């Protein structure tokens, strides 16, 4: 996620140059100071001038623009020990938000995220999308998005933009899914403007694992600036955060952990390769290997997943072995990734998080076996975000864009 705290911003531009550019930079700086304040500490204009190192007159003018844009609002604040009329503080407008959405193999989802990154409401709709034309899936997601937009209107919330996450390689500039093997999509252009009524709103397209990594970053401590996020759904994705920024590689395709080869002579993979991590530790791979019996035949994926948890709880051997094998291969892939990217923290999301108690022992043992020199420093963690991570990350990234470029909403 882009930095939004006051400390992370560049010094105000006061050198000779384009006056408009100077004002844009200072507008972003003032907004960053407001956004970086703790929720219980509402800053006055004088506070903002001190923190931003801008003059009070400049701050007053800039704040007027931010108020007019609707990004911030005034609120009365009593300082400790003060009596009488409260001073005027400034906060991010809680009535402004961004819509985040996700398309996955067996569901679509949408939710509203406010300017502070809080998930206000969301809905997950089971839907089989594998092999379905992208236009049909976008139409279905458009209906769900319309419901979210109606919910926003009912709560007097204004949507400033949107983000969409999909389980595949994307070209964000052209809103194209280049390759999504588990959806059966290749070079599918997405008509994302169907998803928002306001055609001028900011909209971004993300890889699902990258979006989830960005959402997870908001939960990490200030010193935790480097980690690998491993997303477990039908497929497996990876998102890499380095120095508190998403590292996506020169073409934006870094982090395809699910297609790291862990069994050279293993099963064919949807990517066209063989023996990928996904063929052992992906959701479908685990469910198939667990041998859940006649009761699982013809059942939905969610019903099979619930049956898997029941089998694990009861100690069914085939289910335990399936998850242990997944954990072993996961450890192999993670060991390689940790060495390659020089990170010590790995966060597991999706179905990996739900399987934590059964998956962690095998993963830890495998990591110790294959990378003993780094295993002692390794921090293996599990994300609490569940199926909301991708939509939160996609939305919050758009929020970051708006906070960095508030001049787009001023005028």
């Amino acid at each position: 996620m882009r930095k939004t705290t006051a400390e992370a911003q560049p010094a105000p531009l006061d050198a000779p140059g384009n006056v408009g550019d100077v004002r844009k930079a200072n507008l972003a700086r003032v907004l960053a100071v407001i956004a970086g304040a703790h929720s219980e500490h509402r800053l006055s204009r004088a506070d903002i001038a001190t923190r931003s190192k801008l003059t009070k007159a400049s701050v007053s003018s800039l704040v007027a623009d931010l108020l007019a844009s609707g990004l911030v609002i005034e609120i009365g604040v009593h300082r400790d020990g003060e009596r009488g009329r409260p001073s005027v503080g400034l906060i991010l407008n809680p009535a402004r938000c961004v819509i985040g959405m996700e398309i996955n193999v067996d569901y679509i989802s949408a939710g509203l995220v406010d300017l502070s990154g809080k998930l206000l409401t969301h809905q997950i709709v089971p839907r089989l999308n594998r092999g379905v034309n992208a236009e049909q899936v976008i139409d279905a997601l458009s209906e769900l998005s319309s419901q979210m937009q109606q919910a926003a209107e009912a709560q007097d919330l204004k949507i400033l933009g949107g983000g969409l996450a999909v389980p595949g390689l994307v070209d964000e500039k052209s809103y194209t899914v280049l390759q999504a093997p588990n959806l059966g999509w290749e070079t599918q252009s997405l008509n994302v403007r169907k998803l928002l009524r306001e055609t001028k709103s900011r909209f971004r397209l993300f890889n699902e694992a990258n979006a989830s990594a960005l959402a997870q970053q908001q939960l990490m401590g200030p010193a935790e600036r480097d980690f690998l996020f491993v997303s477990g759904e039908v497929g497996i994705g990876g998102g890499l955060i380095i120095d508190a920024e998403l590292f996506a590689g020169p073409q934006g395709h870094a982090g395809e952990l699910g297609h790291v080869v862990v069994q050279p002579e293993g099963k064919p993979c949807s990517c066209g390769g063989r023996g990928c991590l996904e063929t052992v530790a992906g959701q479908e791979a685990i469910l198939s290997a667990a041998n859940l019996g006649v009761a699982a035949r013809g059942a939905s994926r969610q019903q099979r997943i619930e049956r898997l948890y029941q089998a694990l709880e009861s100690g069914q051997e085939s289910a335990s072995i399936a998850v242990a094998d997944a954990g072993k291969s996961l450890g192999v892939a993670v060991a390689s990734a940790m060495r390659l990217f020089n990170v010590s923290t790995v966060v597991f999301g999706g179905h990996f998080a739900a399987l934590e108690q059964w998956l962690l022992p095998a993963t830890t043992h495998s990591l110790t076996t294959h990378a003993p020199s780094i295993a002692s420093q390794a921090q293996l963690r599990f994300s609490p975000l569940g199926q909301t991570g991708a939509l939160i990350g996609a939305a919050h990234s758009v929020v970051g864009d708006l906070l960095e470029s508030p001049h787009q909403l001023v005028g």
Side-chain angles (χ1 to χ4, degrees):
M1 189 65 193
R2 293 173 170 85
K3 304 175 182 67
T4 58
T5 62
E7 292 74 16
Q9 301 303 309
L13 300 175
D14 52 12
N18 186 300
V19 175
D21 289 342
V22 173
R23 187 167 183 82
K24 288 176 184 178
N26 288 339
L27 195 68
R29 185 170 182 81
V30 167
L31 185 58
V33 170
I34 297 171
H38 294 296
S39 59
E40 67 276 7
H41 188 193
R42 280 72 182 269
L43 302 180
S44 68
R45 287 167 174 76
D47 294 328
I48 295 168
T50 298
R51 296 193 180 197
S52 66
K53 297 182 174 58
L54 295 169
T55 65
K56 291 182 180 179
S58 293
V59 167
S60 293
S61 175
L62 294 164
V63 165
D65 282 348
L66 293 173
L67 289 169
S69 73
L71 287 171
V72 302
I73 60 171
E74 293 180 323
I75 187 169
V77 180
H78 275 292
R79 307 291 187 187
D80 290 341
E82 284 187 354
R83 296 181 180 179
R85 184 179 178 181
S87 61
V88 176
L90 293 148
I91 62 171
L92 293 176
N93 191 345
R96 298 294 184 269
C97 65
V98 168
I99 185 168
M101 291 165 274
E102 181 186 5
I103 294 171
N104 218 302
V105 176
D106 53 3
Y107 66 86
I108 55 175
S109 64
L112 301 176
V113 174
D114 70 14
L115 298 183
S116 69
K118 178 183 177 183
L119 180 62
L120 303 176
T121 185
H122 77 283
Q123 187 175 354
I124 299 172
V125 178
R127 174 186 164 84
L128 296 178
N129 298 314
R130 190 198 298 270
V132 178
N133 183 275
E135 185 176 354
Q136 292 177 270
V137 179
I138 288 294
D139 285 342
L141 185 59
S142 176
E143 293 181 15
L144 181 57
S145 176
S146 293
Q147 294 176 27
M148 284 293 124
Q149 291 173 71
Q150 290 170 14
E153 290 175 0
Q155 300 174 59
D156 292 323
L157 298 171
K158 183 176 180 180
I159 297 174
L160 300 180
L164 170 63
V166 298
L169 305 180
V170 303
D171 179 357
E172 183 181 354
K173 291 182 179 179
S174 64
Y175 300 126
T176 300
V177 178
L178 301 175
Q179 188 178 38
N182 289 306
L183 287 174
W185 292 0
E186 188 165 349
T187 318
Q188 290 282 332
S189 179
L190 305 183
N191 186 3
V192 299
R193 289 306 171 191
K194 285 186 174 182
L195 303 176
L196 274 181
R197 296 174 190 164
E198 178 51 66
T199 58
K200 293 183 180 180
S201 297
R202 172 72 166 157
F203 199 96
R204 296 191 64 184
L205 179 65
F206 292 88
N207 166 268
E208 171 266 331
N210 285 345
S212 296
L214 290 169
Q216 180 64 35
Q217 185 187 5
Q218 307 311 307
L219 306 181
M220 308 296 279
E224 298 176 304
R225 300 174 64 82
D226 310 288
F227 67 92
L228 173 66
F229 185 90
V230 183
S231 171
E233 295 290 346
V234 173
I236 297 174
L240 185 63
I241 301 293
I242 299 294
D243 195 23
E245 296 282 349
L246 177 68
F247 177 79
Q251 295 179 312
H253 303 161
E256 284 294 291
L257 194 71
H259 299 292
V260 169
V261 177
V262 294
Q263 295 180 347
E265 306 302 324
K267 298 177 181 179
C269 181
S270 61
C271 72
R274 181 178 290 274
C276 297
L277 176 63
E278 207 168 275
T279 66
V280 184
Q283 199 175 82
E284 184 58 44
I286 294 175
L287 290 171
S288 296
N291 190 23
L292 299 176
V294 176
R297 294 175 186 171
S300 68
R301 188 182 305 277
Q302 186 56 44
Q303 290 171 326
R304 294 170 68 202
I305 290 171
E306 292 172 0
R307 178 71 182 86
L308 173 65
Y309 296 148
Q310 294 170 3
L312 290 167
E313 291 282 3
S314 64
Q316 181 177 314
E317 185 178 15
S318 61
S320 299
I321 291 175
V323 175
D325 285 345
K328 178 181 177 180
S329 293
L330 196 58
V332 172
V334 165
S336 299
M338 290 176 70
R339 288 187 184 278
L340 186 62
F341 299 125
N342 191 30
V343 295
S344 58
T345 300
V346 180
V347 183
F348 299 98
H351 74 258
F352 291 144
L355 294 171
E356 176 181 357
Q357 69 182 93
W358 301 284
L359 190 73
L360 183 58
T363 304
T364 302
H365 182 267
S366 179
L367 181 61
T368 303
T369 300
H370 297 286
S373 63
I374 61 174
S376 59
Q377 288 88 37
Q379 298 183 53
L380 304 185
R381 294 158 62 172
F382 292 82
S383 175
L385 295 173
Q387 290 180 312
T388 64
L391 72 87
I392 291 175
H396 198 43
S397 290
V398 176
V399 168
D401 291 342
L402 295 171
L403 297 184
E404 285 187 351
S405 303
H407 65 274
Q408 296 177 354
L409 298 177
V410 172

